[in-house]
Amino acid sequence: MSSARIIAAADRPAPMRIAGFDIQTLISGDEAQNFEVFFTSGLDGTGPAPHCHQWDETFFVLQGPVAFGVGDQEQWIAAGTLLHVPGGERHWYRFGDQKGEFLSFTSGKAASPMYRELAGLPAEAPKLDYRAVAIRHGQTALPDG
C-alpha cells in the first residue's frame, strides 16, 4: 500500500445500485493487499439471492436490523453486531422495511470487480444476467432453501 487514506462520509465514491440496494467501495483490492471494504445500504426486501464464493466476508451492521441467512439459518441482526461468513459458506442478506446499513470486509480482490460489473446491468435485467456475472467472478448462485 503506497499511503494511508482517510475517507470522510462526504468523500465516499458514488454508490453502485445493484438489484435495488447500494454498495460503495471504500477500499478495493487495488488499494489493499488482501482485502476490500464496502458500505452497503438498502430497504424494502432488497438483497442478493443465496450464494457462496471463495472469499471470506464479514459484516458489521451499522443500522438495522438486517436479515442474514447462513447455511439453513436465518436471523435478524441488530446494529452493532458483527457476522463473519467463511469462504464457501452459503449466505444471503435482506434489508427490511426500514433502512439498513452495514460495512462488509472481504478477503482477496474479487468482490469489487464483480460489483462494478453487476452495477452496469440495467435495472430491469433478468436474474440470469446477475447470475452469469456472479459466476464469472467466482461466485456460485444457490437455490433458496
Side-chain angles (χ1 to χ4, degrees), residues 50-60 67-73 75 77 82-93 102-107 139 142:
H51 63 277
C52 65
H53 39 66
Q54 72 273 18
W55 59 85
D56 288 1
E57 195 163 17
T58 301
F59 304 91
F60 184 78
F68 283 89
V70 179
D72 293 329
Q73 302 295 313
Q75 181 175 345
I77 305 291
L82 182 127
L83 167 67
H84 175 73
V85 180
E89 184 78 38
R90 177 188 186 269
H91 64 285
W92 56 269
Y93 56 83
F102 59 79
L103 290 173
S104 62
F105 307 83
T106 62
S107 62
Q139 182 168 292
L142 300 171

Side-chain angles (χ1 to χ4, degrees), residues 16-23 46-47 114-116 118-120 130:
M16 296 176 283
R17 176 60 52 119
I18 300 172
F21 59 94
D22 292 329
I23 296 179
T46 58
M114 180 184 70
Y115 293 151
R116 281 192 304 271
L118 288 169
Y130 284 93

